[in-house]
Amino acid sequence: MSPSQYTLTLEPIAAHEPREIDDQPENAAVLAPVVNRADGDYLLFTRRADHLGKHPGQMSFPGGGAEPIDESILETALRESNEEINLEPDEADVIGQLDDIRTVTEYAVTPFVARVPDRAYERDGNEVAEIVFLPLSGLLDPNNYEYERREHPHYGEIVIHYFHVDGYTVWGATGRILVQLLELATPFEAPERIDRTQ
């Protein structure tokens, strides 16, 4: 593929009608930031600090739990992105919303996709160990993707996705969000359609 082909087609994300979840004790939101560069699109991830109690060291999108001050779940995603990577809310061109997912920590997570400027971002040293830009070309390379099936105590057989790019591995809840983003905006197809409410 040429570099021009490593771009996300965002219209399907804008048109997507997300499935929402309202049966979890906690709500959270994340922002999947898209950065356009000369050699194609990149996605911005954070590597969570190793001392955090939940998902330490894992790759994630900027985001976190809803707070009473948030007027909407989108505001949660923008506030948390500002706190974690110093992204100003008016810098985020929000394209659309993906399906809510459940996490093992009993959160309903609402993902948003936004274009953001290609600039240096400042991490929150307490929560974020590293800010990482992964190229769409690497995320779409079939040699960098693998999956496994696991038996979940409540949901039966589930699929776990792994994206290994530039020495980083995206998996877990972030991997599930990434799969839907790629399925909507690129030719990527997961090995099996799965129920993302699981």
Side-chain angles (χ1 to χ4, degrees):
M1 296 178 75
S2 67
S4 63
Q5 292 175 284
Y6 290 124
T7 56
L8 296 166
T9 304
L10 296 176
E11 289 82 2
I13 292 176
H16 180 67
E17 295 186 9
R19 179 175 9 183
E20 298 181 348
I21 294 172
D22 60 5
D23 63 355
Q24 296 298 288
E26 302 288 347
N27 293 307
V30 299
L31 193 72
V34 179
V35 173
N36 182 256
R37 293 179 174 172
D39 59 345
D41 282 339
Y42 286 68
L43 287 171
L44 184 158
F45 296 85
T46 61
R47 185 170 65 81
R48 293 173 58 82
D50 291 330
H51 69 266
L52 295 177
K54 296 177 180 177
H55 313 296
Q58 289 189 14
M59 300 293 287
S60 65
F61 290 120
E67 300 287 351
I69 60 171
D70 299 332
E71 294 184 0
S72 67
I73 198 66
L74 173 57
E75 189 169 310
T76 298
L78 295 174
R79 175 184 54 76
E80 286 282 341
S81 296
N82 177 253
E83 293 175 5
E84 291 189 359
I85 65 169
N86 197 33
L87 173 72
E88 296 296 334
D90 61 2
E91 290 183 296
D93 177 15
V94 178
I95 304 301
Q97 179 179 335
L98 304 178
D99 294 349
D100 287 0
I101 65 165
R102 294 186 180 94
T103 70
V104 294
T105 48
E106 297 189 317
Y107 276 84
V109 179
T110 301
F112 295 91
V113 179
R115 282 207 177 274
V116 302
D118 183 12
R119 66 168 179 84
Y121 291 90
E122 299 173 22
R123 66 183 178 88
D124 176 337
N126 183 53
E127 294 188 46
V128 178
E130 191 177 0
I131 295 173
V132 179
F133 295 87
L134 295 183
L136 181 61
S137 58
L139 295 168
L140 291 177
D141 186 339
N143 295 319
N144 295 338
Y145 172 78
E146 64 177 338
Y147 70 97
E148 66 175 317
R149 302 181 193 279
R150 291 185 185 176
E151 195 67 26
H152 190 282
H154 300 299
Y155 306 122
E157 187 180 68
I158 61 172
V159 177
I160 310 294
H161 306 272
Y162 300 89
F163 295 84
H164 307 286
V165 180
D166 295 345
Y168 300 94
T169 298
V170 179
W171 69 289
T174 305
R176 281 185 281 157
I177 294 168
L178 179 58
V179 162
Q180 186 180 32
L181 191 162
L182 295 178
E183 286 184 333
L184 285 171
T186 77
F188 177 87
E189 292 184 9
E192 178 181 299
R193 303 296 298 190
I194 61 171
D195 181 356
R196 286 183 185 80
T197 64
Q198 294 184 2

